[in-house]
Amino acid sequence: MEDLSPRRGDSVFAGLVGASQVLGLVSVVLTGVWMGHYRGGFAWDGSAQEFNLHPLCMVLGLIFLQGDAILVYRVFRNEAKKHVKLLHGIIHLLALIISIVGVVAVFDFHRAAKIPDMYSLHSWCGMATLILFCLQWVLGLLFFLFPVASSWLRATYLPIHVFCGLSLLVMAIGTSLLGITEKLLFSIMTTYSQFAPEGVLANALGILLVLYGLTLVYLVTKEEYRRPPNPEEESLSVHFKNLTEGEVPTP
């Protein structure tokens, strides 16, 4: 009976990870269907089809890939930390590149259509999220992947980095919900209240994004799914404990 509990925990963990991937991938697919089927497809010519790249890139990059980059520390929690760090950084870099393409697409479309930039709550939240995401990636690179900071500074920044990572995922999902609503009101305002198929699909997309975010937050914050201690992490923990207790860490 005692041996069954860890196995059951592993099964639940695997099921939740699988569910998160299904939710994330279906969200990306639904975004593609929405923009491809209902909004006319994709292009890079300043037209409305170029704008369609924006929601697809943001859902793929700033939500799905960002979430998976966070999740690697749980999925590969028994692997060598340096390899997991590298994978974490690479996925985040890919997410950043795709997100920048999405932002360039919407600015390019606005310029061609002579639409003002950065006037909506969605655009304010989105730009803040992207800028903070860039800063988070650069600081993670300098503090952890190719550390130039001392152990004392790394220990100080580590809990902030973890908190900011989850916060940025929540911000990205919240910004996407604002964008979904804004796009629907711009595109199908007269039929949205009549449960138009496009509106139902977009609403379903929003719900899936929320479920994806909730699943990720649960997996990342549940104590039993954390990485087991290793010498490097123990060292950081000792430095952080000394810092919070007012002691001076030894070099």
Side-chain angles (χ1 to χ4, degrees), residues 30-100:
L30 281 185
T31 307
V33 170
W34 181 16
M35 294 298 110
H37 179 69
Y38 288 101
R39 296 288 105 206
F42 305 94
W44 193 271
D45 54 7
S47 66
Q49 284 68 46
E50 182 173 349
F51 170 87
N52 293 344
L53 289 168
H54 172 68
L56 181 61
C57 287
M58 304 321 281
V59 170
L60 174 58
L62 212 53
I63 296 179
F64 180 56
L65 288 179
Q66 182 185 183
D68 273 8
I70 296 171
L71 196 58
V72 297
Y73 278 106
R74 299 297 176 263
V75 175
F76 302 110
R77 60 186 186 273
N78 296 313
E79 302 299 323
K81 185 71 175 287
K82 62 180 180 180
H83 298 150
V84 181
K85 279 183 183 180
L86 183 60
L87 181 60
H88 178 77
I90 290 173
I91 298 176
H92 262 138
L93 177 60
L94 183 59
L96 179 59
I97 293 171
I98 293 173
S99 300
I100 290 173

Side-chain angles (χ1 to χ4, degrees), residues 73 81-93 136-151 153-154 157 161 232:
Y73 278 106
K81 185 71 175 287
K82 62 180 180 180
H83 298 150
V84 181
K85 279 183 183 180
L86 183 60
L87 181 60
H88 178 77
I90 290 173
I91 298 176
H92 262 138
L93 177 60
Q136 169 87 343
W137 188 82
V138 171
L139 289 176
L141 196 72
L142 297 177
F143 275 79
F144 303 115
L145 193 57
F146 302 108
V148 296
S150 66
S151 296
L153 285 174
R154 291 167 64 201
Y157 179 62
H161 183 76
E232 177 188 6

Side-chain angles (χ1 to χ4, degrees), residues 31 49 53 74 127 155 162 183 189 236 240 244-245 247:
T31 307
Q49 284 68 46
L53 289 168
R74 299 297 176 263
M127 187 57 67
V162 173
K183 180 61 177 175
M189 181 181 292
L236 283 175
F240 185 66
T244 56
E245 292 180 351
E247 300 175 14

Side-chain angles (χ1 to χ4, degrees), residues 225-246:
Y225 299 152
R226 293 182 183 275
R227 285 179 59 86
N230 62 38
E232 177 188 6
E233 292 168 339
E234 287 288 351
S235 175
L236 283 175
S237 297
V238 169
H239 281 282
F240 185 66
K241 181 180 179 182
N242 291 336
L243 174 67
T244 56
E245 292 180 351

Side-chain angles (χ1 to χ4, degrees), residues 213-233:
L214 290 173
T215 305
L216 260 292
V217 170
Y218 179 79
L219 284 167
V220 172
T221 57
K222 191 167 178 60
E223 189 66 32
E224 68 183 82
Y225 299 152
R226 293 182 183 275
R227 285 179 59 86
N230 62 38
E232 177 188 6
E233 292 168 339

